Amino acid sequence: MLFINLAGIFLIALIIWWFWLYAPKSQRQVSADKDNAVIDIVVQDGVYQPATITVSAHKTAILNFIRKDATPCAEMVIFPDLNISEELPLNKAFAITLPMLEKGQYLFHCQMQMYKGYLIVE
Amino acid sequence: MSLSKSLTLTVYGMSCNGCASRLQTALNAIEGVHAEVSFASNRVDLTIEKSVDYENTIKSIKTLIAEKGYTSTLPIAETASDQSQSAEKSSHSNKNSAESPANTQELLIEGATCASCVSKIEKTLNALPDVQQAQMNLALRTVSVTGHAATKTLIQAIESAGYHAKSTGNASDQDLLEEKNQAEQTYYHKLMVQMWIGLALGGGLMAYGLLGGAMTVNSPTERIVWFIIGLFCAGVMYFAGKHFYIGAWNSFVNHNANMDTLIALGTGTAWLYSMVVVIYPLALPEIARHVYFEATAMIIGLINLGLALEVKARGRTSEAIQRLIGLQAKTARVIRDGQDIDIAIEEVLLNDLVRVRPGERIPVDGIVNEGKTTIDESMLTGEPMPVKKSSGDEVVAGTINKSGSIIFQAQRIGKDTALAQIIKMVKRAQNSKPPIGRLADIISGYFVPVIMIISITSALIWLNFGPDNSIAFAVVSATTVLIIACPCALGLATPMSVMVGVGKAAEAGVLIRNGEALQNASKITAMILDKTGTITLGQPKVTDIYPVNAMDENQILQLVASLEIGSEHPLAEAIVESAKERGLSTDKVEHFNAIAGQGVEGQLGDKRLLFGNQKLMREQHIDLDQKSLEISAEMANEAKTPMFFAMNGELAAIIAVADPIKDDSISAIKRLQNNGIRVIMLTGDNQETAKAVARKVGITEFFAEVLPEEKSQKVAQLQAQGEIVGMTGDGINDAPALALANVGFAIGTGTDVAIESADITLMRGSLNGLADAISVSKATLRNIKQNLFGAFIYNTAGVPLAAGVLFPLTGLLLNPVIAGAAMAFSSVTVVSNANRLRFFKPQEH
């Protein structure tokens, strides 16, 4: 029983670490450091690919969302801090032009937050 | 066929970047072929050299793609020689429009990937005879073309160069909508098939259990039978629930968790436990050898059903925007070279002459050149009465020509029409979230991992403190907690209601800029109404002229009109208009000066003229005798604005100007007051006039003699009193006050939606639009609260129930299948509740 309890506590600790404490350093990310750089983001199977995007501060960039998931959840992409909220057509590229941004991390997600991604401005 | 060809194929079946890369290598190995494969857009861009046999190469390419296990569409290919043909065609088709002024149109390009594509597209377009300049933006995938060429010609030319192009105009909204509906329909059918797969196995097993069949493993035969059923169940998981497991895994590796995670973990746990029971029954106590395959299959079936119903219900939430998009005509009848020709809407050029017959829809915005008619604008402005139109009047796309035939000149086309702007604005507002949804967003961010932790904790509690077969209880409670929790209901609660509410408002001619404006409008406690143009028509007329000296009315009016002709004030327009009606000419005034909030002054020959309110007379030391004051007070009492005219330092006349009150202002103000809103009128008029107008329309509070720059101070004054202030004006000289108010309402002139300073734009002039806006926002907020409350209560009650908190009292533990059904229908309930708003009628509130 002790082993089971310890395993349970370990699992809980793992959940906390994996979902909340882990810093996304080694995650696959795509960077853009020139004006009007275009980054393709595929919306499929519950994730944005890539989910972490790095762009340069004070430069415009374009995020080209290509939605391949027909679930209604994937339909919208929202950047709450940037007041951007757009409907993504299925199997088509949809460009969102980012304004020049201050350094920081900006979350983007679908309406129900099932899809999540990070825009890192540095 | 002697030139090299570029073509694009759409390839289906690639599941990763690796597939694309391998396919690209294989295609490039074919002689004379240069290929670029994009996994993201499922596209293969090919260039086939002139030295190889084209037909055979195409065959080899298609065979290779098929051998790799992918399917491809027919190639969309044109040669350089085809380009010249299409250029010829375009030249022919456009000669008629060559005399009209050049216009700029934008096309969206697909398939352009590099600088050489840009150069090729620009070169192709610039070669067309009717194109003055074509410039492409690779980043945006758009090309901007200036000239006379028709859109169709441009698209043909671009396609002949091996790319896809389409207009970025309004027609794409319709295409997009049709594609969306088609995709939703396909997805719905897919979900229904998956539901039946799940329910067929799950339902059968459940029926067996309910009819007394043992769901336990006690003999070798039962083990074999249940093992086979377990494999069938795995089949169900694969064919009907694969999307949950893939989604869950992808989210997991991205340190994210969502609804898929919960479903995958819940059904996976039930299936794995059951397989352990089947394969190693001895690992578990006899009493715990229960299988839960029926739960796994049923949950997958039910959740697919829930998703399918949600897709249907969601479709209804966007009815309003669909209706707006549907207002766009598909064709237009233009007059070119003296002949009427029917063309697609995207081919209409600026300044084209468009003929519209009775019963037809206006295709683009323009100015009437010929003919008289009445036009039904109710679909855009909510104004039920048809509007008369004749030469010089504006007509807008989407409205219906009722009575006469007209010819108008196109002024705004494609995405620039008022209708396209309205659609864009409504879409944007529908997608924005009011602050009330933020708490749900924060909770959603932590929700799934918290549920996973609760699930593990619940299992541990059962294992430590549960009855003999505690492991079975632990599995059931852990599974049920995972399945019952519904982050979707929380996530959908706010956006679904906003979607319907904003759409509903648009139907009533009320354009809400964003979710925050919607929420603030529902909380307004005080509403400031600018008198002129808001409560009144904003078209004042001269009603009385009272001469003080020996001059007659016409002499007075001529002098005052000469002075006022340089002023932009609405009262000045009334004076000038009245002089025109009497056939009086005006003279040139020198040293004209407008004194803000007071009036105007100027010099006409040897006469120094002053015209304005009492304040101006006081400041300029003009004596007003008792009788003049009495007359002006009497005029003011009749809700007229008395204006004083002085010549060479002496009062010469008093002129009364009145601005008629709009027909429905009184009833709309009553509606606002019935909603518990303190209504305050604001005007530049003097106290008496203001009082008289306020009394007429049933307002007890007013700010009189307010200078334009003081309007925002009045807003701030009310805010300092703790009021949540709405400010209503025409959006032009009220901009600072509209911006400062908690919610700025701009009364539009018909379909003028470009009122940037306003949070809410009322497309019709009636104040009822204001009452409608507040009613809709209140109803929407009420709906959001119901949804949020429902979603919170569902989760906070459902999760502990699933964990078994009632078991010590009642001995009951929730069945995972019931949890699956509850979860599937929780989000449908939220969407359906939002859909109730579709039946809301603002006039009744």
Side-chain angles (χ1 to χ4, degrees):
Chain A
M1 211 44 230
L2 178 69
F3 174 75
I4 290 173
N5 284 331
L6 284 175
I9 291 163
F10 173 75
L11 267 178
I12 291 172
L14 190 69
I15 289 168
I16 294 170
W17 175 74
W18 187 259
F19 292 111
W20 293 328
L21 303 179
Y22 181 87
K25 275 178 198 159
S26 60
Q27 267 183 275
R28 195 164 79 89
Q29 50 179 270
V30 170
S31 304
D33 59 358
K34 55 181 190 217
D35 279 331
N36 281 336
V38 184
I39 299 168
D40 284 346
I41 300 170
V42 179
V43 186
Q44 194 176 21
D45 294 331
V47 285
Y48 295 117
Q49 293 171 305
T52 306
I53 295 139
T54 311
V55 296
S56 302
H58 309 300
K59 284 185 178 175
T60 55
I62 291 158
L63 304 183
N64 222 9
F65 281 88
I66 301 137
R67 174 184 162 216
K68 295 189 168 186
D69 190 339
T71 56
C73 181
E75 201 172 36
M76 303 290 309
V77 62
I78 298 162
F79 291 73
D81 301 327
L82 310 181
N83 210 12
I84 294 173
S85 173
E86 296 290 355
E87 190 177 331
L88 306 176
L90 191 61
N91 290 323
K92 272 193 179 150
F94 185 90
I96 292 179
T97 307
L98 295 175
M100 285 186 271
L101 296 168
E102 295 293 323
K103 282 182 184 177
Q105 183 170 291
Y106 302 85
L107 178 71
F108 59 97
H109 55 76
C110 70
Q111 258 178 352
M112 296 188 283
Q113 300 206 34
M114 286 177 65
Y115 281 83
K116 251 184 208 169
Y118 294 93
L119 172 69
I120 296 164
V121 182
E122 55 188 29
Chain B
M1 293 288 172
S2 61
L3 299 175
S4 68
K5 269 190 173 184
S6 294
L7 61 113
T8 303
L9 302 177
T10 306
V11 175
Y12 298 104
M14 293 185 291
S15 58
C16 59
N17 270 321
C19 306
S21 162
R22 281 191 290 276
L23 180 63
Q24 183 169 311
T25 311
L27 286 170
N28 281 322
I30 300 174
E31 195 192 343
V33 172
H34 175 72
E36 274 183 36
V37 183
S38 163
F39 163 62
S41 50
N42 285 333
R43 292 174 75 87
V44 179
D45 293 313
L46 295 158
T47 308
I48 301 171
E49 286 173 11
K50 60 182 179 183
S51 54
V52 296
D53 183 285
Y54 179 77
E55 299 301 330
N56 281 335
T57 311
I58 284 285
K59 265 187 200 165
S60 310
I61 290 168
K62 297 205 88 177
T63 312
L64 189 141
I65 291 171
E67 277 173 2
K68 293 272 172 194
Y70 310 130
T71 50
S72 62
T73 58
L74 286 170
I76 308 133
E78 300 286 346
T79 63
S81 55
D82 292 331
Q83 280 179 29
S84 60
Q85 278 173 14
S86 62
E88 262 177 47
K89 280 181 212 158
S90 63
S91 157
H92 176 72
S93 67
N94 281 290
K95 64 181 180 186
N96 296 335
S97 59
E99 285 172 15
S100 58
N103 71 85
T104 301
Q105 50 186 313
E106 200 175 70
L107 299 170
L108 195 65
I109 308 292
E110 282 180 33
T113 52
C114 56
S116 68
C117 302
V118 172
S119 147
K120 191 174 174 186
I121 290 167
E122 286 181 351
K123 219 169 156 183
T124 306
L125 293 173
N126 283 321
L128 294 175
D130 287 340
V131 171
Q132 287 172 3
Q133 195 191 20
Q135 220 168 10
M136 178 159 176
N137 181 335
L138 179 63
L140 291 174
R141 313 272 202 270
T142 56
V143 62
S144 172
V145 188
T146 310
H148 308 291
T151 314
K152 198 176 164 186
T153 314
L154 299 175
I155 292 174
Q156 277 174 353
I158 293 167
E159 298 215 333
S160 71
Y163 305 94
H164 279 312
K166 63 178 181 184
S167 170
T168 56
N170 209 23
S172 63
D173 271 334
Q174 273 181 349
D175 296 344
L176 224 58
L177 183 67
E178 278 165 25
E179 280 172 22
K180 188 187 164 197
N181 289 342
Q182 184 64 39
E184 274 181 6
Q185 200 59 24
T186 312
Y187 183 58
Y188 172 78
H189 287 303
K190 187 178 159 197
L191 286 170
M192 290 305 279
V193 170
Q194 288 171 335
M195 175 203 80
W196 284 118
I197 294 174
L199 293 192
L201 180 70
L205 289 175
M206 259 191 93
Y208 170 73
L210 290 171
L211 292 172
M215 306 290 278
T216 50
V217 178
N218 294 315
S219 67
T221 320
E222 280 178 345
R223 276 182 71 189
I224 294 166
V225 172
W226 281 117
F227 182 75
I228 293 166
I229 291 172
L231 292 182
F232 271 111
C233 190
V236 168
M237 290 161 84
Y238 179 78
F239 290 108
K242 189 171 64 176
H243 49 293
F244 299 131
Y245 303 102
I246 292 174
W249 176 252
N250 283 336
S251 299
F252 177 76
V253 294
N254 277 289
H255 299 265
N256 192 10
N258 56 33
M259 188 193 80
D260 289 341
T261 315
L262 295 176
I263 298 164
L265 279 177
T267 54
T269 308
W271 184 82
L272 269 178
Y273 176 80
S274 305
M275 285 310 272
V276 170
V277 169
V278 174
I279 296 167
Y280 304 110
L282 295 177
L284 299 157
E286 201 174 333
I287 197 165
R289 288 175 199 163
H290 193 288
V291 289
Y292 296 100
F293 294 125
E294 91 289 2
T296 303
M298 280 295 282
I299 290 165
I300 288 173
L302 285 169
I303 289 171
N304 279 321
L305 172 65
L307 285 173
L309 295 177
E310 191 188 314
V311 169
K312 281 276 164 200
R314 269 178 180 246
R316 286 192 285 273
T317 61
S318 54
E319 255 178 14
I321 200 85
Q322 290 184 12
R323 209 168 292 146
L324 280 175
I325 291 171
L327 293 179
Q328 177 65 62
K330 289 194 170 159
T331 58
R333 186 173 302 118
V334 297
I335 304 169
R336 286 185 185 162
D337 222 17
Q339 288 201 325
D340 284 12
I341 47 167
D342 286 342
I343 54 170
I345 190 79
E346 55 267 40
E347 290 178 50
V348 177
L349 302 173
L350 274 183
N351 299 312
D352 260 344
L353 290 176
V354 184
R355 188 191 298 278
V356 187
R357 295 186 181 133
E360 290 179 341
R361 219 173 259 289
I362 306 288
V364 294
D365 293 358
I367 305 283
V368 178
N369 261 13
E370 266 182 64
K372 278 183 183 175
T373 188
T374 51
I375 290 194
D376 178 3
E377 295 185 341
S378 61
M379 59 292 289
L380 288 187
T381 63
E383 176 62 57
M385 291 298 290
V387 186
K388 282 183 187 162
K389 302 278 178 180
S390 58
S391 186
D393 288 337
E394 193 186 28
V395 288
V396 290
T399 56
I400 294 175
N401 181 20
K402 299 289 279 186
S403 51
S405 185
I406 53 164
I407 295 172
F408 73 89
Q409 191 170 35
Q411 297 285 310
R412 284 182 301 204
I413 56 171
K415 64 179 181 182
D416 295 327
T417 64
L419 176 61
Q421 298 286 330
I422 290 169
I423 291 169
K424 191 174 159 193
M425 190 171 161
V426 172
K427 266 189 176 176
R428 184 156 291 173
Q430 282 185 323
N431 297 339
S432 71
K433 205 174 264 187
I436 192 171
R438 282 187 198 140
L439 178 64
D441 277 353
I442 293 167
I443 294 172
S444 293
Y446 295 94
F447 189 84
V448 177
V450 166
I451 294 298
M452 287 159 74
I453 291 169
I454 293 173
S455 168
I456 294 169
T457 312
S458 158
L460 288 180
I461 292 171
W462 277 105
L463 286 170
N464 283 289
F465 308 105
D468 292 345
N469 56 341
S470 60
I471 185 157
F473 282 99
V475 169
V476 170
S477 75
T479 305
T480 317
V481 165
L482 290 169
I483 295 297
I484 204 164
C486 187
C488 308
L490 269 179
L492 287 173
T494 312
M496 288 298 109
S497 305
V498 171
M499 185 94 128
V500 185
V502 168
K504 199 73 207 168
E507 279 178 10
V510 176
L511 296 181
I512 298 173
R513 194 165 290 279
N514 52 39
E516 195 171 347
L518 180 83
Q519 179 168 341
N520 287 343
S522 73
K523 294 193 293 190
I524 286 174
T525 57
M527 175 67 77
I528 300 179
L529 303 175
D530 190 24
K531 192 206 84 178
T532 308
T534 304
I535 297 175
T536 63
L537 281 175
Q539 292 156 348
K541 288 186 168 38
V542 173
T543 55
D544 306 84
I545 301 175
Y546 172 75
V548 175
N549 60 16
M551 283 195 291
D552 68 19
E553 284 190 7
N554 282 354
Q555 281 176 309
I556 294 166
L557 201 56
Q558 188 180 20
L559 287 172
V560 178
S562 302
L563 181 60
E564 285 282 42
I565 204 158
S567 168
E568 289 173 355
H569 197 278
L571 294 180
E573 280 176 30
I575 305 271
V576 175
E577 197 57 38
S578 181
K580 265 190 199 165
E581 279 170 15
R582 294 183 188 213
L584 304 173
S585 59
T586 52
D587 296 318
K588 193 171 176 353
V589 168
E590 289 176 335
H591 309 299
F592 174 83
N593 180 32
I595 307 158
Q598 296 186 12
V600 289
E601 62 179 342
Q603 191 78 29
L604 182 63
D606 59 349
K607 299 181 191 98
R608 185 169 177 261
L609 309 177
L610 275 173
F611 185 68
N613 57 19
Q614 204 172 334
K615 200 170 174 185
L616 177 72
M617 299 296 124
R618 261 202 316 270
E619 301 263 323
Q620 300 291 328
H621 311 293
I622 308 289
D623 283 335
L624 301 178
D625 59 31
Q626 191 54 35
K627 196 171 179 201
S628 302
L629 288 174
E630 278 171 15
I631 285 169
S632 72
E634 201 178 310
M635 288 170 169
N637 267 334
E638 292 166 11
K640 295 168 183 171
T641 306
M643 305 288 284
F644 298 87
F645 173 52
M647 195 167 68
N648 294 332
E650 282 187 4
L651 183 70
I654 305 170
I655 298 177
V657 176
D659 185 4
I661 291 167
K662 288 177 190 169
D663 290 341
D664 49 8
S665 286
I666 296 171
S667 62
I669 288 167
K670 188 125 189 92
R671 278 179 68 195
L672 289 173
Q673 288 166 335
N674 288 344
N675 262 321
I677 294 168
R678 183 178 158 196
V679 181
I680 301 133
M681 189 181 82
L682 182 147
T683 174
D685 292 346
N686 63 37
Q687 288 286 337
E688 286 71 30
T689 311
K691 196 173 174 184
V693 176
R695 197 177 50 233
K696 249 187 174 174
V697 296
I699 295 177
T700 52
E701 286 181 81
F702 58 87
F703 295 121
E705 294 180 47
V706 180
L707 298 174
E709 62 270 23
E710 288 172 354
K711 287 181 180 176
S712 48
Q713 289 172 20
K714 299 296 172 192
V715 172
Q717 193 180 320
L718 284 173
Q719 283 172 330
Q721 290 170 19
E723 301 281 9
I724 296 168
V725 182
M727 166 79 203
T728 310
D730 57 16
I732 300 158
N733 57 15
D734 305 323
L738 290 179
L740 183 69
N742 298 80
V743 187
F745 295 83
I747 288 213
T749 50
T751 46
D752 181 11
V753 291
I755 303 172
E756 288 297 328
S757 50
D759 298 308
I760 296 179
T761 302
L762 311 173
M763 284 191 285
R764 64 186 146 137
S766 165
L767 271 184
N768 269 314
L770 189 62
D772 289 351
I774 291 174
S775 298
V776 170
S777 62
K778 280 190 182 220
T780 308
L781 260 288
R782 199 163 45 239
N783 196 273
I784 292 173
K785 284 175 190 167
Q786 288 163 356
N787 276 348
L788 285 174
F789 179 78
F792 277 120
I793 288 294
Y794 167 80
N795 281 301
T796 45
V799 171
L801 202 67
V805 286
L806 288 184
F807 186 82
L809 300 173
T810 62
L812 287 174
L813 188 59
L814 201 63
N815 186 314
V817 176
I818 295 173
M823 193 272 192
F825 290 101
S826 60
S827 38
V828 178
T829 312
V830 164
V831 182
S832 301
N833 187 47
N835 267 327
R836 283 195 314 115
L837 268 178
R838 290 187 301 135
F839 307 109
F840 176 77
K841 289 195 170 56
Q843 291 289 349
E844 292 166 8
H845 291 259

